[in-house]
Structures are given as structure tokens and as C-alpha cells.
Amino acid sequence: MAETLMDGIDMGRMLSKAVKSAGGVTAFSKLHGFKPQAVWDTHSLKGINEKVVSSVGLIMVLRYPLTSDPKTLATGKQVQDKLNSFIRECKTQRAAARIFGIHETTLSNIQNALRGFSPVLAQLGFREPVQRYVWKKADARATA
């Protein structure tokens, strides 16, 4: 079953419902142990507080739009798999790093999750990541 991705507007709607059912921002904040400003900032997408997002059963994830079809979003694992395949096709990490225009140490750090994918995204056919929200595993909802 495919995961249900929600954007910031969807997350904001869920947060609004939760705040309303708690009796307002102050009540919601006290109930979950947040400062009210964290709730306001998260709702307005000014600054996403992961604990506030988690309180409505969601987690924030990054997804990578395809350059050829920006509506199609890839996971980090899919980007990593494509990177590894690219390196195998180049025969060596050094050769792949030259194509990317980065140092091989930088490429190694990207492969080992010590750096983000930004330096290699364009060459692999991806755009910069976007934030989306998914249900926490324990709270996973069935999609019909």
C-alpha cells in the first residue's frame, strides 16, 4: 500500500482540528507541553516544530521531485539507490565524483549519510527536497 503524503496545508488542517477539539491553542499547548508560539509557528508553516507535528500523529519526511515530472516524489532510499547505481556504472567513486564536480570524499560522505544529497541531485534527475507529512507507523491510517 502506498503511503499517503500530506503537504503543509493538510498538516495545518489536522492541527487546527486538534487545537479546536482541545479548546484552543493555550489548552492544546498545555495538554502537550508546548509553548503556544510553537503551535502558532507550526500552523502558519513559519517554523515546523516536529513535536507539534507528532502530537497530531504525523511525522515530517523529505521527498525528492523528479526533474522530468515534479509531481512524482522519490524517497531518500530511491535517491540513494540511484546514486549507488550511478557510481557502479562509472566503475569507481573517483570517476563518479568527477562527473558530479565534487571531491570523492564529499561523494563518500553523501553515500554514508554524512552529507545531504544536494550536490548530486541534478545529475541524478532530482530537484531539491520538499517537506511532506505521513502518519506515524503506530498511527498508520488505512487509505481507501
Side-chain angles (χ1 to χ4, degrees):
M1 176 170 69
E3 69 182 352
T4 302
L5 291 173
M6 293 172 257
D7 62 15
I9 303 299
D10 296 328
M11 183 274 297
R13 282 189 197 117
M14 293 183 65
L15 182 56
S16 290
K17 288 178 187 178
V19 165
K20 185 176 180 180
S21 93
V25 170
T26 303
F28 182 82
S29 298
K30 284 182 182 176
L31 179 66
H32 295 285
F34 310 129
K35 292 183 179 180
Q37 191 62 49
V39 177
W40 287 115
D41 288 348
T42 300
H43 185 266
S44 67
L45 304 177
K46 188 187 288 186
I48 306 299
N49 183 306
E50 291 186 31
K51 291 180 181 179
V52 174
V53 172
S54 180
S55 71
V56 293
L58 301 174
I59 57 172
M60 185 183 72
V61 295
L62 294 179
R63 293 295 182 260
Y64 300 84
L66 300 181
T67 303
S68 61
D69 179 14
K71 291 184 180 183
T72 301
L73 303 176
T75 64
K77 181 174 181 348
Q78 291 168 319
V79 174
Q80 185 72 45
D81 290 346
K82 190 161 184 180
L83 173 61
N84 291 337
S85 293
F86 183 86
I87 292 169
R88 278 192 300 276
E89 289 171 13
C90 292
K91 305 290 189 229
T92 67
Q93 194 178 55
R94 179 173 285 157
R98 281 190 191 122
I99 292 170
F100 288 125
I102 59 177
H103 193 275
E104 63 187 278
T105 304
T106 301
L107 183 55
S108 177
N109 287 340
I110 293 168
Q111 277 191 289
N112 292 305
L114 300 174
R115 289 186 63 128
F117 291 120
S118 291
V120 300
L121 288 174
Q123 182 73 31
L124 295 175
F126 298 101
R127 293 183 176 190
E128 289 296 318
V130 294
Q131 293 178 345
R132 292 295 182 261
Y133 302 88
V134 296
W135 293 109
K136 290 192 284 187
K137 296 295 182 204
D139 294 336
R141 308 293 202 279
T143 55

